[in-house]
Amino acid sequence: MLDHTDPNDLIVETARRFAQDRLAPGAAAREKAGRIEPEIVRELGEMGFLGATLSSDWGGSEIDTETYARVVEEIAAGDGAVSTLVSVHNAPTCEILQHYGSQAQKEQWLAPMATGAAVGSFALTEPGAGSEASGLRTRAVRDGNDYVITGSKQFISNAVIGKTTLLFAMTDPAAGKKGMSCFVVANDTPGYQIARVEEKLGQKASDTCHLVFDGMRVPESQRIGEEGAGYKIALSTLEAGRIGIAAQSVGMARAALDYAIAYAKERRSFGKAIIDHQAVGFRLVEAKTKLEASRQLVLNAARLKDAGKPALEAAAMAKLFASEAAEAICSAAIQTLGGYGYLSDYPVERIYRDVRVCQIYEGTSDIQKIILQRML
């Protein structure tokens, strides 16, 4: 229940209205076009959702992690592809710049990102180095006051629609993970190439790119933190990133479930609404229970982070459980619609495809289990 006198609830309600009025009606067309409209990005910026957790010093909204998670859920309930843009842009990208960027870097790069004037990308994953971040092959070789960057990145969101990229490269390959450094670059830098925009199962409006850096020259002033600090910087936003993806999962699953429940109340068979048949009703009850369990895991992780308490385990659990539950919930929604659920005329088919990637990006389910096993 929203309290309309609570500022945080008002923020969430704003996100809900925007998602239902602006995002959900255009989600199918957005997918068909394979792009998110610039006006949607502009509106997200105007509402403060692209600088959600950032300090007001840089034009951010300064909302807490719990409220941010609730906002991401609402946006994802409207369109999963748009929620990916919001999540990647906020955390890890903006969060790294806020915590590790210099004053000059924040003025030049973070301030435009906080208002939505520049959407950000996070370029860590490579064709041969996904979950094993320490295995990067992209090189940054110092040349005077510059670095010359050569290599490639894979599965990078927002590179087409964005203007700014945080990228990680090896400045000292012999040092292993301690030889990784972080840089901020403009996407129109000579040598920055979008080699391919991937065709995907879902979230087709959110661009996912293969990037190539061909002798890209970057001044030392665009290195974030010290040389060799890149691995620490990359790991620093795991909590926020995983909370964001878990919240996405909840939002998309909720949208599919809400549609299935509404359909089951209207569709009749054997003289009554199908929701009154135990086989259907039990399926929806189980799905709603999984949805609520997922939401509470997300909110618990967010509250721990807000309280300054260790939240890595809770965030990994939330991401693991919510992403896998979301696929099951969306599958139950399709089953409830029967043959219609399999058609692209109905949104549950698209949402099912959109939500599948939540078990993969920001650390696969297998990686979450490895992390949690180590913490036992």
Side-chain angles (χ1 to χ4, degrees):
M1 182 72 69
L2 292 174
D3 177 358
H4 292 286
T5 64
D6 185 322
N8 289 332
D9 281 356
L10 289 173
I11 292 168
V12 175
E13 179 62 21
T14 299
R16 177 175 297 178
R17 289 180 181 275
F18 175 73
Q20 297 307 312
D21 295 344
R22 294 284 286 132
L23 297 183
R30 208 169 284 121
E31 176 182 68
K32 188 173 182 179
R35 63 189 289 269
I36 297 170
E37 314 92 304
E39 53 268 31
I40 292 293
V41 178
R42 176 179 54 78
E43 291 174 43
L44 286 165
E46 289 172 351
M47 289 182 290
F49 297 145
L50 296 181
T53 61
L54 298 179
S55 166
S56 59
D57 293 343
W58 313 110
S61 301
E62 288 194 41
I63 63 174
D64 57 32
T65 310
E66 180 182 352
T67 305
Y68 168 68
R70 294 168 65 199
V71 164
V72 172
E73 177 186 332
E74 295 300 337
I75 292 172
D79 189 337
V82 176
S83 71
T84 291
L85 182 152
V86 172
S87 183
V88 171
H89 173 86
N90 274 290
T93 312
C94 285
E95 184 152 310
I96 283 176
L97 269 169
Q98 174 161 262
H99 284 94
Y100 294 97
S102 66
Q103 184 78 7
Q105 287 169 342
K106 291 175 184 178
E107 291 173 359
Q108 180 179 356
W109 304 97
L110 187 59
M113 292 170 71
T115 62
V119 171
S121 299
F122 180 77
L124 176 63
T125 300
E126 296 183 1
S131 298
E132 186 190 4
S134 60
L136 300 188
R137 294 186 178 180
T138 297
R139 293 288 308 277
V141 178
R142 187 182 280 274
D143 182 17
N145 292 325
D146 296 340
Y147 290 89
V148 178
I149 300 178
T150 303
S152 64
K153 298 291 178 181
Q154 181 65 294
F155 305 129
I156 308 305
S157 300
N158 298 346
V160 172
I161 200 169
K163 295 182 179 180
T164 306
T165 298
L166 287 189
L167 72 90
F168 295 81
M170 301 304 292
T171 46
D172 182 5
K177 63 185 180 184
K178 293 183 179 179
M180 184 193 303
S181 299
C182 179
F183 301 87
V184 56
V185 300
N187 293 10
D188 59 2
T189 303
Y192 182 115
Q193 302 173 19
I194 298 176
R196 183 173 62 252
V197 180
E198 304 292 357
E199 296 185 9
K200 302 173 296 184
L201 175 70
Q203 296 211 19
K204 297 182 179 183
S206 168
D207 63 87
T208 302
C209 302
H210 179 196
L211 306 180
V212 172
F213 311 114
D214 184 11
M216 181 174 67
R217 187 170 288 272
V218 176
E220 182 182 14
S221 62
Q222 290 176 216
R223 189 190 70 224
I224 298 175
E226 298 298 321
E227 236 186 50
Y231 190 73
K232 180 184 74 172
I233 291 172
L235 295 183
S236 69
T237 59
L238 291 179
E239 293 173 357
R242 287 167 181 166
I243 289 168
I245 302 306
Q248 268 192 291
S249 303
V250 173
M252 285 185 265
R254 190 188 89 199
L257 182 58
D258 285 350
Y259 193 91
I261 291 171
Y263 178 90
K265 289 178 178 179
E266 294 294 327
R267 177 77 163 87
R268 299 183 66 82
S269 71
F270 300 101
K272 58 183 175 180
I274 63 171
I275 200 168
D276 293 325
H277 293 290
Q278 193 174 81
V280 176
F282 278 17
R283 180 191 305 127
L284 294 174
V285 166
E286 290 172 359
K288 188 166 185 179
T289 302
K290 290 176 184 175
L291 180 69
E292 187 58 27
S294 299
R295 179 182 291 114
Q296 294 305 321
L297 282 168
V298 174
L299 295 178
N300 176 61
R303 289 165 185 155
L304 286 172
K305 188 174 186 302
D306 285 334
K309 297 179 179 179
L312 183 59
E313 182 178 42
M317 285 181 175
K319 201 271 188 186
L320 171 65
F321 186 88
S323 63
E324 297 198 347
E327 184 185 8
I329 292 165
C330 291
S331 180
I334 289 175
Q335 194 69 24
T336 300
L337 269 68
Y340 292 115
Y342 203 66
L343 302 181
S344 59
D345 295 344
Y346 294 79
V348 292
E349 178 267 347
R350 170 180 48 80
I351 298 170
Y352 181 82
R353 289 184 289 103
D354 284 352
V355 85
R356 181 60 182 84
V357 74
C358 291
Q359 296 175 56
I360 299 172
Y361 58 15
E362 199 65 42
T364 65
S365 289
D366 295 329
I367 289 296
Q368 306 307 319
K369 291 174 184 177
I370 290 170
I371 291 166
L372 292 167
Q373 179 189 13
R374 290 172 179 168
M375 299 181 79
L376 289 178

